[in-house]
Amino acid sequence: MSRIIGEEIRNIPWQERNDTAGPVWRYDQNPIIGRHATKISNSVFNSAVVPYNGGFAGVFRCDSKAISMNIYTGFSENGVDWKISDEPIVFEGADEEILRFEYRYDPRVCRIGDRYYITWCNGYHAPTIGVAWTKDFKKFVQLENAFLPCNRNGVLFPRKIGDMYMMLSRPSDNGHTPFGDIYVSQSPDLEFWGRHRYVMGTVSGNDSAWQSTKIGPGPIPIETDEGWLLIYHGVITTCNGFVYRMGCALLDLEEPWKVKYRSKEYILAPNELYECVGDVPNVTFPCAALADAATGRIAIYYGCADTVTGLAFTTVDDLIQHMKKASL
Ligand code: BMA
């Protein structure tokens, strides 16, 4: 039995396994958030949630009906029914240059101590990683962008490792990026980032082709007694374009650029209609996971076809067994 190290989330959304096809099963009322969940939204997807005040809070990617990408707060009692703001997050911060808005999308939320850090894909002449913190999901203080463009999928670790903060990311280009490997960077203060290390990359050949074009980190890594459990997205290029599936890996606790196991078989793939049909077909894109240390239960929040938001379930044991059974 593997063990999650972290907080207990007694009210984690949960359903017993209803599908024997893989290590992850879907909520039977998916999608939990529809495309018109707010007054302005064309689509609500690739969003992040955390336990907050006995319930849950989150930061949501809503693309507007003008197709303008921005991020919005949301709150929920049970983690399933969400009330999302019609007004985007307004950031404050020391430097007007950094506060300037081009676009914001694909947020992650990571609690470190008494602050919730938000990282997202932030337009600054090209995509890079924006960083901000909040304590109450009302006042948001924006820090410096973590990296030079072009970069996407900035994902913080939930505590310092040694005496450094650490962030995963996926250097990219300014377009739809036909490549991409995962790196980890270190910072003493969440402003200056260095000591960049390669974590893992695409898989060539016919061995695990679902992750042959690019990969990127998804939810905040989950600490377990065996290593950091990372859920990530993997992409293949087909005659109909990209297909986004999910996989998982186990990273060394002290040196998270060392990969202990990595799933050869995907853990979730676009199979359901709402994952295959939408503004961008065939995308399952995880940005958050709730993990209950008491039971080992994990609830994954993922964008479906760049249109709606889905919820899926697994356990720490299901994922680690899946990796050990067939690891790259
Ligand atoms: C990526 C990002 C994601 C999106 C994905 C699939 O480059 O734009 O937000 O889900 O493409 O379209």
Side-chain angles (χ1 to χ4, degrees), residues 110-168:
C110 182
R111 184 163 74 88
I112 306 178
D114 63 351
R115 291 183 178 186
Y116 299 88
Y117 285 90
I118 325 297
T119 52
W120 68 94
C121 179
N122 190 38
Y124 182 71
H125 302 276
T128 182
I129 308 302
V131 186
W133 61 266
T134 183
K135 288 185 176 177
D136 56 8
F137 289 86
K138 291 191 189 101
K139 174 185 152 109
F140 288 82
V141 179
Q142 189 171 350
L143 308 176
E144 292 291 322
N145 292 321
F147 306 119
L148 288 168
C150 298
N151 203 315
R152 293 186 175 99
N153 300 301
V155 176
L156 284 166
F157 283 78
R159 64 168 173 83
K160 284 185 174 175
I161 301 174
D163 51 4
M164 292 295 207
Y165 296 101
M166 294 209 191
M167 193 184 331
L168 299 163

Side-chain angles (χ1 to χ4, degrees), residues 253-267:
L253 280 178
E254 304 308 319
E255 297 174 312
W257 49 93
K258 293 187 177 156
V259 180
K260 297 170 75 169
Y261 296 99
R262 174 175 175 187
S263 57
K264 183 169 169 173
E265 297 177 2
Y266 62 76
I267 61 168

Side-chain angles (χ1 to χ4, degrees), residues 212-213 235-243 245 281-282:
S212 55
T213 297
V235 180
I236 184 175
T237 307
T238 72
C239 54
N240 279 325
F242 291 153
V243 176
R245 295 181 173 87
N282 306 320

Side-chain angles (χ1 to χ4, degrees), residues 3 14 64 100 139 154 162 220 274 284 315:
R3 208 162 48 81
W14 185 252
S64 73
R100 196 169 53 81
K139 174 185 152 109
I220 303 309
Y274 56 89
T284 51
T315 68

